[in-house]
Amino acid sequence: MSNLYKYIGTPERFRALSYKKASNVLDDLPNDVTEYIQNNTLEDLPGIGESIADKIREYINSGTITKYEQLKKEIPHELLEMMEIKGFGPQSIKKIHTVLNITSKNELMKALQSGTIATIKGFGKKRTEAMLENLNLYQQTEKRMLLRDALAIGESILKKLQKIPEIKNIELAGSLRRRKETIGDIDILISANNRDRKKIIHDFTNSDMVKKILAKGNTKASITLKQNDKQVDVRIINDLEWGSALLYFTGSKEHNIHLRTVAKEKHMKLSEYGLFNQISYVRIAGETEASIYQALGLQSIPPEMREDKGEIKLASEQKIPTLISLKDIKGDLQMHSNWSDGTQTIEEIARFIKNHFNYKYIAITDHSQSSRIANGLTEQQILKQIIEIKAINEKLDEAFIKTGIEVDILANGNLDISDEIMAQLDWVTASIHSGFKRDNTDRIIKACQNPYVSCIGHPTGRLIGERNPYKLDIKSIIETAVSTHTALEINAQPQRMDLKDDYVFLAREKAVKLVISTDSHSIQQLDFMTLGVDLAKRAWCKPSDILNTMTWEEIEKWLKTKKRHLMHEMA
DNA sequence: GCCGTTTTCGGCCCGACTGTTTTCAGTCG
């Protein structure tokens, strides 16, 4: 409906804005919208007032919205889907529709190619050529990069550009700096003297990584990369603007808009060039991000939190938490050895970690028997592995390695390993590796109720860009995790990132204990921990929200509470 | 259509670029 109103244009542009905002809020809703209807709390949601609430209720009850159906009749809604494409704005589409009476995508494409559209007043040759190019680009570059890949690419580009001597300051910005789970394009901010800008742009656009130069001016340039066709945008500014520019180019868009509203209320004006007095235009702040937040009466907000999900209010109350960081992590509680589908021996893994990480403990969690492809362990093998780990620990002269398993949750919710065996292990992660097509809420709840299950592994089972999460009532899972003292995993494998940030956010609010683990299958993957920590930051997690920031003694205590609690209940 | 530690009416982020204008609308980030 927002798009339909955008099409109508000026008289309805604020209505369009309202619908867009409400749509964003609905998109991020933790619970099913019907719950808010039942509790009569729909109108309490930000951006949803009486009118939109009525329409939501109408849609839930009848499956349609009268107003929407009415609008659709007057407006070529098939064309409005093209508004996602660069150069296809609502007013352009409107003009094409009213002048040429075009109503479908196919007609529009034909008219573009034949040059008919270039005959409309306001549409020259250059513009229609750009539209065609953007259309092709849109069709081939829909896929986004995984955070891990984008970070690697971004950092290698930084390394290259840092060799340009005229660059004073350089940093990755955009969604990459906010550590979103997937990244569309890579934004880089540079500060330099005005006279050096041209040379920097020249060096950047002529470097060997460039496949195509999309735009090239005095302060900005865009290219596509040889290695994956992805876009890289570079902006150059001066030192005085560094903070305001970094703030602006880091986003999110919603966070920026909200900040600018705050500035306006305080009779200031915020742009990428700085924070100014609205009347005198005197510069108030801009050199650092912190100076701007401070001048707005706000606490500094970490990039990972900048999604306009309430962080600005929190900052105004000076309640931004100290987020978890990599150095808080005391151990990694899911990894695989060559006993199942991992690459290295247990001893190799343990020695590598002791040399390269500051961990106090690790858990070896090979697969259980029903994971045949992953060479899962039988109960006999698990007992043998316990003996081997004991021996290695003696060699290392400390109880560094904890015994564990990633036990399969079977189709009926039972576990693949008997309670007697699990009782002998230090740490049990239970995961689903089959039956992805059905609702798996019941299986996970049943697993949580087992006193020996410490944690649910990759709870939603998704593989980003490859496999959707299975159906799950996340709210029930979170409730069960709380009531049964079961931890939920933040699996830091780049294509998993499971639980995702929104769900971690919900779990944290309900005080679920979370475990960040790498699920490493080789020692090279142990570094994924940083991705998991970044995800936890996006969910506003403090160290105390994360179980593996605790000492092993504290974790043991926590595990015992669960056993005592559930045994008592069963008795 | 939504919202309110200046407001229940009158606002709704800010600036750059592009293509096409002859002073600006539309689009983008």
Side-chain angles (χ1 to χ4, degrees):
Chain A
M1 287 185 74
S2 172
N3 283 349
L4 292 168
Y5 282 122
K6 268 189 205 157
Y7 176 93
I8 294 172
T10 308
E12 299 289 8
R13 69 187 190 281
F14 293 115
R15 205 184 302 266
L17 221 60
S18 293
Y19 274 93
K20 181 67 196 162
K21 201 168 179 192
S23 139
N24 286 342
V25 169
L26 286 179
D27 217 14
D28 291 334
L29 226 47
N31 305 326
D32 198 286
V33 71
T34 50
E35 281 186 36
Y36 298 85
I37 296 175
Q38 278 158 15
N39 303 337
N40 228 355
T41 51
L42 209 47
E43 274 113 319
D44 296 344
L45 294 169
I48 295 181
E50 202 187 328
S51 171
I52 290 183
D54 277 345
K55 296 198 171 55
I56 294 169
R57 283 187 285 260
E58 186 190 351
Y59 182 73
I60 295 298
N61 290 332
S62 70
T64 54
I65 298 172
T66 317
K67 184 75 191 173
Y68 174 62
E69 298 300 327
Q70 197 184 321
L71 287 167
K72 266 201 332 192
K73 274 182 202 154
E74 301 158 25
I75 294 165
H77 56 279
E78 193 188 319
L79 295 184
L80 295 194
E81 286 170 27
M82 300 180 83
M83 273 169 53
E84 280 179 45
I85 308 163
K86 268 189 205 168
F88 292 75
Q91 294 314 305
S92 303
I93 288 174
K94 187 175 187 174
K95 214 163 198 181
I96 291 167
H97 171 64
T98 48
V99 175
L100 298 175
N101 202 23
I102 284 172
T103 55
S104 74
K105 281 186 203 168
N106 270 341
E107 284 176 79
L108 197 154
M109 279 205 262
K110 273 183 202 155
L112 262 180
Q113 278 154 354
S114 68
T116 328
I117 286 181
T119 62
I120 305 174
K121 200 181 170 196
F123 289 76
K125 195 179 167 212
K126 269 194 174 173
R127 193 161 164 203
T128 47
E129 274 169 7
M131 286 171 85
L132 260 180
E133 201 178 328
N134 285 331
L135 189 66
N136 289 331
L137 202 72
Y138 177 80
Q139 282 163 343
Q140 53 177 277
T141 58
E142 268 175 290
K143 246 190 153 186
R144 294 167 65 88
M145 289 172 272
L146 292 176
L147 174 60
R148 163 81 182 178
D149 301 334
L151 267 176
I153 294 169
E155 274 157 17
S156 79
I157 297 174
L158 276 196
K159 227 179 204 172
K160 232 172 219 166
L161 295 182
Q162 271 157 349
K163 289 184 186 142
I164 303 175
E166 290 82 1
I167 290 179
K168 289 197 203 168
N169 212 349
I170 181 164
E171 196 165 333
L172 296 171
S175 54
L176 196 47
R177 183 159 178 252
R178 302 201 312 281
R179 299 291 195 265
K180 272 191 75 169
E181 63 187 32
T182 61
I183 307 293
D185 54 20
I186 294 174
D187 297 304
I188 296 175
L189 186 67
I190 293 172
S191 76
N193 291 329
N194 288 352
R195 62 169 184 278
D196 295 328
R197 290 181 178 180
K198 217 169 208 167
K199 178 185 181 274
I200 295 169
I201 296 281
H202 176 268
D203 286 2
F204 168 62
T205 51
N206 283 290
S207 71
D208 55 3
M209 64 188 161
V210 174
K211 181 174 183 182
K212 194 177 170 194
I213 300 171
L214 300 173
K216 184 180 165 182
N218 286 329
T219 62
K220 62 184 269 188
S222 296
I223 57 110
T224 58
L225 290 170
K226 267 184 198 161
Q227 68 185 106
N228 63 358
D229 266 324
K230 291 292 184 265
Q231 188 170 331
V232 180
D233 294 335
V234 158
R235 292 288 292 247
I236 308 182
I237 47 100
N238 65 50
D239 285 333
L240 208 61
E241 299 159 345
W242 179 258
S244 47
L246 188 58
L247 195 61
Y248 168 66
F249 290 114
T250 298
S252 69
K253 189 183 174 194
E254 289 75 18
H255 180 85
N256 284 341
I257 290 176
H258 195 155
L259 276 188
R260 288 170 180 202
T261 321
V262 172
K264 208 167 181 177
E265 282 163 7
K266 296 182 185 294
H267 305 291
M268 299 183 233
K269 186 169 65 101
L270 177 62
S271 74
E272 57 264 48
Y273 299 108
L275 182 67
F276 303 92
N277 182 304
Q278 207 174 32
I279 297 150
S280 66
Y281 293 106
V282 170
R283 171 182 290 270
I284 298 164
E287 266 184 90
T288 63
E289 288 184 330
S291 70
I292 296 166
Y293 282 117
Q294 198 186 7
L296 292 173
L298 301 172
Q299 225 179 332
S300 283
I301 300 173
E304 294 86 351
M305 291 180 74
R306 299 181 194 167
E307 299 290 345
D308 198 24
K309 304 246 164 103
E311 72 279 5
I312 291 176
K313 184 165 185 289
L314 221 56
S316 72
E317 297 162 347
Q318 312 295 311
K319 283 183 187 162
I320 295 285
T322 304
L323 299 183
I324 180 172
S325 75
L326 196 54
K327 64 173 170 33
D328 296 317
I329 299 291
K330 290 205 172 65
D332 193 342
L333 293 172
Q334 181 167 196
M335 63 187 72
H336 298 261
S337 74
N338 66 353
W339 283 64
S340 65
D341 58 350
T343 311
Q344 281 85 16
T345 65
I346 297 174
E347 186 167 349
E348 282 169 339
I349 296 170
R351 290 194 183 277
F352 181 85
I353 293 178
K354 282 183 75 74
N355 284 333
H356 295 87
F357 292 81
N358 239 335
Y359 292 165
K360 304 286 181 235
Y361 50 82
I362 59 169
I364 300 293
T365 54
D366 280 308
H367 287 284
S368 63
Q369 53 202 358
S370 70
S371 281
R372 295 239 161 69
I373 303 169
N375 195 24
L377 306 188
T378 62
E379 296 192 341
Q380 284 309 310
Q381 287 172 307
I382 293 172
L383 293 174
K384 269 192 196 164
Q385 196 186 58
I386 293 176
I387 295 168
E388 164 148 334
I389 287 177
K390 205 177 220 174
I392 299 171
N393 274 338
E394 273 166 22
K395 271 203 254 177
L396 297 173
D397 212 21
E398 60 172 316
F400 182 67
I401 312 167
K402 307 301 171 192
T403 58
I405 192 83
E406 183 182 9
V407 61
D408 260 30
I409 301 173
L410 304 173
N412 57 7
N414 289 342
L415 299 173
D416 194 21
I417 300 288
S418 67
D419 284 6
E420 290 70 38
I421 298 291
M422 287 194 290
Q424 299 183 51
L425 295 166
D426 296 318
W427 180 259
V428 174
T429 291
S431 310
I432 286 180
H433 292 111
S434 62
F436 299 118
K437 295 233 162 82
R438 70 182 192 89
D439 188 319
N440 282 313
T441 311
D442 53 336
R443 289 168 83 185
I444 292 183
I445 288 178
K446 200 165 169 191
C448 286
Q449 285 160 346
N450 183 302
Y452 300 105
V453 169
S454 328
C455 175
I456 300 296
H458 44 75
T460 74
R462 70 164 178 177
L463 295 174
I464 299 170
E466 288 173 44
R467 184 173 73 209
N468 283 330
Y470 35 73
K471 270 198 195 129
L472 210 59
D473 179 354
I474 190 68
K475 221 183 136 201
S476 313
I477 300 293
I478 286 171
E479 276 168 15
T480 310
V482 173
S483 67
T484 61
H485 292 254
T486 310
L488 296 181
E489 184 183 58
I490 298 174
N491 186 302
Q493 289 279 316
Q495 78 283 18
R496 288 197 184 271
M497 301 296 268
D498 183 6
L499 293 175
K500 67 172 177 176
D501 49 10
D502 288 347
Y503 287 171
V504 176
F505 196 101
L506 287 177
R508 176 191 52 75
E509 282 186 317
K510 300 285 180 196
V512 173
K513 280 286 180 247
L514 296 147
V515 172
I516 307 176
S517 43
T518 63
D519 194 1
S520 289
H521 287 67
S522 74
I523 53 175
Q524 287 80 17
Q525 299 184 350
L526 292 161
D527 279 331
F528 291 167
M529 186 60 79
T530 172
L531 300 172
V533 170
D534 288 339
L535 193 161
K537 285 184 192 170
R538 289 181 56 78
W540 306 8
C541 288
K542 305 179 292 298
S544 59
D545 297 314
I546 308 296
L547 199 64
N548 49 326
T549 62
M550 297 181 184
T551 63
W552 182 255
E553 289 67 37
E554 288 169 319
I555 293 179
E556 249 183 341
K557 216 176 185 180
W558 187 81
L559 292 171
K560 271 183 195 151
T561 320
K562 166 165 186 173
K563 282 175 197 154
R564 204 166 42 230
H565 177 76
L566 286 187
M567 301 291 204
H568 183 255
E569 223 171 53
M570 283 193 285

